[in-house]
Amino acid sequence: MPVNGRMSKEELLDRINQVSFAVNELTLFLDTHPDHEEARAYFEEKSALRNEALEEYARSYGPLTIDTANDTCSRSWEWVSQPWPWELSRKGGCR
């Protein structure tokens, strides 16, 4: 449940996984149907949602991908010290 309009770390990771799955599946479909305009539009929509979610995650919890690892302000690499995504489970392991 969003707190103060923001998703929790787990919710945001779930969102990233959902849109990433859609982007991956659409990529495969477009490999065999490159002229399918509706699929291309849906791909662009989901790809934009994925990028937004990755950027939000990076702002709130640290980068998940090199694309969102923009640390020009502090010039440090502290993000490597944060827990890995699979370490976020309350039970200490993969879900």
Side-chain angles (χ1 to χ4, degrees):
M1 179 175 291
V3 178
N4 298 327
R6 294 174 67 175
M7 288 190 232
S8 72
K9 187 181 279 191
E10 290 81 10
E11 290 170 324
L12 197 49
L13 279 173
D14 285 343
R15 179 72 174 146
I16 290 167
N17 286 333
Q18 291 169 6
V19 294
S20 292
F21 178 83
V23 167
N24 291 339
E25 290 297 310
L26 288 161
T27 300
L28 294 173
F29 181 82
L30 288 167
D31 282 346
T32 58
H33 301 79
D35 298 324
H36 197 288
E37 292 180 24
E38 187 178 340
R40 168 140 339 260
Y42 195 63
F43 169 82
E44 290 172 4
E45 174 190 337
K46 295 302 175 188
S47 189
L49 288 173
R50 180 181 184 275
N51 290 337
E52 290 170 13
L54 284 169
E55 288 172 9
E56 182 180 341
Y57 188 95
R59 280 191 306 273
S60 300
Y61 308 109
L64 286 175
T65 65
I66 194 65
D67 302 14
T68 56
N70 182 2
D71 198 18
T72 56
C73 294
S74 66
R75 304 232 187 274
S76 70
W77 291 92
E78 294 177 11
W79 60 272
V80 298
S81 301
Q82 297 176 6
W84 293 96
W86 56 85
E87 296 175 327
L88 299 176
S89 167
R90 289 183 179 96
K91 295 177 183 170
C94 295
R95 291 193 256 172

